[in-house]
Amino acid sequence: MLLELVKRRRIAVGVVAVLALAGVLQFTNTNPAVSQTLYLTAYESGKDPGLNPSNGAWKDAVAVRVPLTAQLGSYAAGGGTVQTVSAKALHYNDTLYVRVEWKDATQDDASTRVEDFSDAVALEFPAKTASTVPSVCMGQADAGVNIWHWRADSDAGLKDPVEIYTGASVDGYPSTDTLFYTARAAGNPYANPDLGAVQTLVSQAFGQLTTSTVQDVQGKGAWANDAWAVVFARPYTSEGPDHAGFGAGARTDIAFAVWDGSQDERNGMKSASQFITLSIAGAKVPGGGGFNSTAVILGAAMLIGFTALGIGLGVYGYREGKR
Amino acid sequence: MPKVYNWQLGREMDYRFEGGAAKRQFAAVFNINRCIACQTCSMACKSTWTFSPGQELMWWNNVETKPYGGYPNHWDVNILELQEKANPGGQVWDPAKKDPKTAPYGTFDGKTIFETADGVNTMATGYIPPEADWKAPNIHEDTSTAIPAGGASLPEHAGWFFYLQRICNHCTYPACLAACPRNAIYKREEDGIVLIDQNRCRGYRKCVEACPYKKSMYRPSTRTSEKCIACYPRVEASDPLTEGLPMETRCMTACVGKIRLQGLVQVDANGEWIEDRKNPLYYLVHVAKIALPLYPQFGTQPNVYYIPPRWVPRPYLRQMFGPGVDDAIAAYTNPTRETLAVLQLFRASQRIVFGYRIEQGPKTGELNVGGQTREIFNDTIIGLDSNGGEIVRVTVDEPTAERPGQLNSL
Ligand code: SF4
Ligand code: SF4
Ligand code: SF4
């Protein structure tokens, strides 16, 4: 318990420091999309993490707290009800695993009633073909993005209302062929009951998000103790031309977005992060847990820097006052 | 937001997209005075389009009893209230600022649902009616405001109700379309029919929220929104049944009370109707002005027009149909010879009538309406297709036959 607390404090210190760094980078006009700000490292797992978010493999992986903000830029703006996600990453057998956890007091995993919206989380990566770090807002022409979108309702499975309202009486349906589920017949992936929990999407501009022809991301979510935990998994290599690419020792970027269904959040109404750096380390997970050393070292350097600056200014002010 | 012209409001207004609307526009006139609330229209639509799992609560066509009924419950009261809150005391018309072509009902000085929205979080003011609100589509059927002891008499009944027939208005400036963040909703250039692309829709329900008429509906079995498709295979004559000639929709042609007439009108880039004097819809809306849009103040420029019920208190009707109500009722109560003839076209044919010709007939009657003497002539009206070919001919006097006495004893 005490150890946990100490660990948490270390992480918190690290986060404060890197946030300060992010501020300075912004202030000094350093492109924040080139994400030197926060680091998420995927070490090799000692055992298969699988898709269950409570698999023991995650115990020793270091959590990075990523701040989220409302999407305020363009229609449909809104969201911002979730302030942070806690992200972990591992790799095992040339597959990347990402585990995201966030606080949400309501488990919204149905979209049966017109007023029901599903909880959801998405990861965003630059496409492997991107020539630069893409805009986090759905990419750009020379740098597309690849999005992995998990929805609680998809994870729970799509049902007809009569299967949910078991007391309902219906005279009968003349036909239940796919043709009469119009969106399904039109090839809409979200209308397909065989849809997995995660959809893989690609985009090269705001408003151009489309479902990828290759669906190779798996995922599973679990809600407990007022929080969701969701695991995503994808082999390093992907057939999808605009998909993210991973590999041992590789570095790329990752961004997060969360939707709270009970707050009617969907589409652009969401809580989203900037890109942070994702590196895939060759090493095994440092035993017995740990903390994000890079972040803390950077943070410590920043703190020392600020302190020095503060002392310097103080001295300067004192001298000025003496004149 | 770009500016577009809304002739029903007599002014420009904000809309998410530039005008550039359709070349032809789906439009209809519903004569409220004649509806018997048999719901044949509702069943015609349901048995054609919405009989499958997930569509249980969907009535693309519904008929509700006003003032208490509504599908979804209280939809109009709710929108009016949201708008009033956004612009307290300001939702008023200036009937004097009138122009026969560009502002036929005067000018609306209040705000539309687009103008009370911020354009960043929402494109139109609205709300999502919860599931419970869709479950009693015919609630308060035939419920009168009072049952007056002295009975009822015109011009305004002391106790009243009326039926309101509702389908999607295939609006010139659809709120559903403006609200869709995925641009999954489109308005067809050839007929102005507004459709939701079932492949693109992601079930965000922004259209359900934005449509002031609540005619975009959510389908849980496909997680998409669906809406009235104006029976487009009939209107565009691709349905084999039409034999290549545009045909009115299912809900129109099934109408037992003969209250409905639907067609296609020509419109310009502003969504204004191009003069087409002998199109029955153009005649009823722009010449006789007896048919009015439903809640034009919402700003979507709806394309279903209503002949208001004669017996209902005028303030209620003015709120619902705008300041054109008094003139419309006067013109309907004492129709001209031409109006009387055009009214005969309602449900005379399944084919869309694009034009008409009237052959004058003899005077066959005289009656007294509100102290005025009215002569009736048995004129014949001939409905024409888009090529000027004859579709149907009907007379003002409905032919009657008397059953020979001896047959009565059978
Ligand atoms: S079929 Fe005609 S008369 Fe019957 S309810 Fe519908 S609109 Fe009214
Ligand atoms: S009535 Fe509603 S659903 Fe139909 S076009 Fe207008 S805004 Fe869209
Ligand atoms: S026009 Fe067709 S789809 Fe629309 S309400 Fe009428 S019958 Fe239904």
Coordinates of all heavy atoms in Angstrom, one line a residue, chain B residues 113-114 166-177 185 187 192-196 207 210-217 226-228 300-303, ligand 2:
Chain B
I113 N -34.4 28.3 -35.5 CA -33.7 27.3 -34.7 C -32.2 27.4 -35.0 O -31.4 27.0 -34.2 CB -34.2 25.9 -34.8 CG1 -34.2 25.4 -36.3 CG2 -35.6 25.7 -34.2 CD1 -34.5 23.9 -36.4
F114 N -31.9 27.8 -36.3 CA -30.4 28.0 -36.6 C -29.8 29.2 -36.0 O -28.7 29.2 -35.6 CB -30.3 28.1 -38.1 CG -31.0 27.0 -38.9 CD1 -32.1 27.2 -39.7 CD2 -30.5 25.7 -38.8 CE1 -32.7 26.2 -40.4 CE2 -31.1 24.6 -39.5 CZ -32.2 24.9 -40.3
R166 N -48.8 14.3 -40.3 CA -47.4 14.7 -40.4 C -46.5 13.7 -41.0 O -46.5 12.5 -40.7 CB -46.8 15.0 -38.9 CG -47.7 16.1 -38.2 CD -47.0 16.8 -37.2 NE -46.3 16.0 -36.2 CZ -45.0 15.9 -36.1 NH1 -44.2 16.6 -36.9 NH2 -44.5 15.1 -35.2
I167 N -45.7 14.2 -42.0 CA -44.6 13.4 -42.5 C -43.4 14.3 -42.5 O -43.5 15.5 -42.1 CB -44.9 12.9 -44.0 CG1 -44.9 14.1 -44.9 CG2 -46.2 12.1 -44.0 CD1 -44.9 13.7 -46.4
C168 N -42.2 13.8 -42.9 CA -41.1 14.7 -43.1 C -41.4 15.8 -44.1 O -42.1 15.5 -45.1 CB -39.9 13.9 -43.6 SG -38.5 14.9 -44.2
N169 N -41.0 17.0 -43.8 CA -41.3 18.1 -44.7 C -40.3 18.3 -45.9 O -40.4 19.3 -46.6 CB -41.3 19.4 -43.8 CG -42.5 19.4 -42.9 OD1 -43.6 19.7 -43.4 ND2 -42.3 19.2 -41.7
H170 N -39.3 17.4 -46.0 CA -38.3 17.5 -47.0 C -38.0 19.0 -47.2 O -38.0 19.6 -48.3 CB -38.8 16.8 -48.3 CG -39.0 15.4 -48.0 ND1 -37.9 14.5 -48.0 CD2 -40.0 14.6 -47.6 CE1 -38.3 13.3 -47.7 NE2 -39.6 13.3 -47.4
C171 N -37.6 19.6 -46.1 CA -37.3 21.0 -46.0 C -36.3 21.5 -47.0 O -35.4 20.8 -47.4 CB -36.8 21.3 -44.5 SG -37.9 20.7 -43.2
T172 N -36.5 22.8 -47.4 CA -35.6 23.4 -48.2 C -34.3 23.6 -47.5 O -33.2 23.5 -48.1 CB -36.2 24.8 -48.7 OG1 -37.4 24.5 -49.3 CG2 -35.3 25.5 -49.7
Y173 N -34.3 24.0 -46.2 CA -33.1 24.1 -45.4 C -33.2 23.1 -44.2 O -33.6 23.5 -43.1 CB -33.0 25.6 -44.8 CG -33.1 26.6 -46.0 CD1 -34.1 27.5 -46.1 CD2 -32.0 26.6 -46.9 CE1 -34.1 28.4 -47.2 CE2 -32.0 27.4 -48.0 CZ -33.1 28.3 -48.1 OH -33.1 29.2 -49.2
P174 N -33.0 21.9 -44.5 CA -33.2 20.8 -43.5 C -32.3 21.0 -42.2 O -31.1 21.1 -42.4 CB -32.9 19.5 -44.2 CG -32.8 19.9 -45.7 CD -32.4 21.3 -45.7
A175 N -32.9 21.0 -41.1 CA -32.1 21.0 -39.9 C -31.4 19.7 -39.7 O -30.2 19.7 -39.2 CB -33.0 21.3 -38.7
C176 N -32.0 18.6 -40.1 CA -31.3 17.3 -39.9 C -30.0 17.3 -40.7 O -29.0 16.8 -40.2 CB -32.3 16.2 -40.4 SG -32.8 16.4 -42.1
L177 N -30.1 17.8 -41.9 CA -28.9 17.8 -42.8 C -27.8 18.7 -42.2 O -26.6 18.4 -42.2 CB -29.4 18.3 -44.2 CG -28.4 18.3 -45.3 CD1 -29.1 18.1 -46.7 CD2 -27.6 19.5 -45.4
I185 N -26.4 13.1 -44.5 CA -27.7 13.5 -45.0 C -27.6 14.4 -46.2 O -26.8 15.3 -46.2 CB -28.6 14.2 -43.9 CG1 -28.6 13.3 -42.6 CG2 -30.0 14.5 -44.3 CD1 -29.5 13.7 -41.5
K187 N -29.7 16.2 -49.8 CA -31.0 16.7 -50.4 C -30.8 16.5 -51.9 O -29.9 17.1 -52.4 CB -31.2 18.1 -50.0 CG -32.6 18.7 -50.4 CD -32.8 20.0 -49.8 CE -34.1 20.6 -50.4 NZ -35.3 19.9 -50.0
G192 N -35.6 17.4 -54.4 CA -35.5 18.0 -53.0 C -35.8 17.0 -51.9 O -35.9 17.4 -50.7
I193 N -35.8 15.7 -52.2 CA -36.1 14.7 -51.2 C -34.8 14.6 -50.3 O -33.7 14.6 -50.8 CB -36.5 13.4 -51.8 CG1 -37.9 13.5 -52.5 CG2 -36.4 12.2 -50.8 CD1 -38.3 12.3 -53.3
V194 N -35.1 14.6 -49.0 CA -34.0 14.6 -48.0 C -33.8 13.1 -47.5 O -34.7 12.5 -47.0 CB -34.2 15.5 -46.9 CG1 -33.1 15.4 -45.8 CG2 -34.4 17.0 -47.4
L195 N -32.6 12.6 -47.7 CA -32.3 11.2 -47.3 C -31.1 11.0 -46.4 O -30.2 11.9 -46.5 CB -32.1 10.4 -48.6 CG -33.2 10.3 -49.6 CD1 -32.7 9.6 -50.9 CD2 -34.4 9.6 -49.0
I196 N -31.2 10.0 -45.6 CA -30.0 9.7 -44.8 C -29.3 8.5 -45.4 O -29.9 7.4 -45.6 CB -30.5 9.3 -43.3 CG1 -31.3 10.4 -42.7 CG2 -29.2 8.9 -42.5 CD1 -31.8 10.0 -41.3
C207 N -29.3 14.6 -36.0 CA -30.5 14.9 -36.8 C -31.8 14.8 -36.0 O -32.7 15.6 -36.1 CB -30.5 14.0 -38.0 SG -30.5 12.3 -37.7
A210 N -31.9 17.8 -33.9 CA -32.1 19.1 -34.6 C -33.4 19.2 -35.3 O -33.9 20.3 -35.4 CB -30.9 19.3 -35.6
C211 N -33.9 18.1 -35.9 CA -35.2 18.2 -36.7 C -36.3 18.7 -35.8 O -36.7 18.1 -34.8 CB -35.6 16.9 -37.3 SG -37.3 17.0 -38.0
P212 N -36.8 19.9 -36.1 CA -37.8 20.5 -35.2 C -39.1 19.7 -35.2 O -39.9 19.7 -34.3 CB -38.0 21.9 -35.7 CG -37.6 21.9 -37.1 CD -36.5 20.8 -37.2
Y213 N -39.3 19.0 -36.3 CA -40.6 18.2 -36.5 C -40.5 16.8 -36.0 O -41.4 16.0 -36.1 CB -41.0 18.2 -38.0 CG -41.1 19.6 -38.5 CD1 -40.1 20.3 -39.3 CD2 -42.3 20.4 -38.3 CE1 -40.2 21.6 -39.7 CE2 -42.4 21.7 -38.7 CZ -41.4 22.3 -39.5 OH -41.5 23.6 -39.9
K214 N -39.3 16.5 -35.5 CA -39.0 15.1 -35.0 C -39.3 14.0 -36.0 O -40.0 13.1 -35.7 CB -39.7 15.0 -33.6 CG -39.3 16.0 -32.6 CD -37.8 15.9 -32.3 CE -37.2 17.1 -31.7 NZ -35.8 17.4 -32.1
K215 N -38.9 14.2 -37.2 CA -39.1 13.3 -38.3 C -37.9 12.5 -38.7 O -37.9 11.8 -39.7 CB -39.8 14.0 -39.5 CG -41.3 14.2 -39.2 CD -42.1 12.9 -39.0 CE -43.5 13.1 -38.6 NZ -44.2 11.8 -38.3
S216 N -36.8 12.6 -37.9 CA -35.7 11.8 -38.1 C -35.7 10.9 -36.9 O -35.8 11.4 -35.7 CB -34.4 12.6 -38.2 OG -33.3 11.7 -38.3
M217 N -35.7 9.6 -37.1 CA -35.9 8.6 -36.0 C -34.8 7.6 -35.8 O -34.2 7.2 -36.8 CB -37.2 7.9 -36.2 CG -38.4 8.9 -36.3 SD -39.9 8.2 -37.0 CE -40.8 9.6 -37.3
E226 N -33.2 6.8 -39.2 CA -33.9 6.6 -40.5 C -35.0 7.7 -40.5 O -35.4 8.2 -39.5 CB -34.6 5.2 -40.6 CG -33.5 4.1 -40.6 CD -34.2 2.7 -40.8 OE1 -35.4 2.6 -40.7 OE2 -33.5 1.8 -41.0
K227 N -35.5 8.0 -41.7 CA -36.6 8.9 -41.9 C -37.4 8.6 -43.1 O -37.0 7.8 -43.9 CB -36.0 10.4 -41.9 CG -35.1 10.6 -43.1 CD -34.6 12.1 -43.1 CE -35.7 13.0 -43.6 NZ -36.2 12.7 -44.9
C228 N -38.5 9.3 -43.2 CA -39.3 9.3 -44.4 C -38.5 9.5 -45.7 O -37.7 10.4 -45.7 CB -40.4 10.4 -44.3 SG -41.1 10.9 -45.9
T300 N -36.8 26.1 -41.3 CA -36.3 25.0 -42.2 C -37.0 25.1 -43.6 O -36.7 24.4 -44.5 CB -36.6 23.6 -41.7 OG1 -38.0 23.4 -41.5 CG2 -35.9 23.4 -40.3
Q301 N -38.0 26.0 -43.7 CA -38.8 26.1 -45.0 C -39.4 24.8 -45.4 O -39.0 24.2 -46.4 CB -38.0 26.7 -46.1 CG -38.9 27.4 -47.1 CD -38.1 28.2 -48.1 OE1 -37.4 29.2 -47.8 NE2 -38.1 27.8 -49.4
P302 N -40.3 24.3 -44.5 CA -40.9 23.0 -44.8 C -41.8 23.0 -46.0 O -42.3 24.0 -46.4 CB -41.8 22.8 -43.5 CG -42.1 24.2 -43.0 CD -40.9 25.0 -43.3
N303 N -41.9 21.8 -46.6 CA -42.6 21.7 -47.9 C -43.9 21.0 -47.9 O -44.5 20.6 -48.9 CB -41.7 21.2 -49.0 CG -40.6 22.2 -49.3 OD1 -40.9 23.3 -49.8 ND2 -39.4 21.9 -49.1
Ligands
SF4_2 S1 -38.7 17.6 -41.4 FE1 -37.0 17.2 -40.2 S2 -36.2 15.3 -41.0 FE2 -37.5 16.2 -42.6 S3 -36.1 17.4 -43.9 FE3 -37.0 18.8 -42.4 S4 -35.5 18.8 -40.7 FE4 -35.0 17.0 -42.0

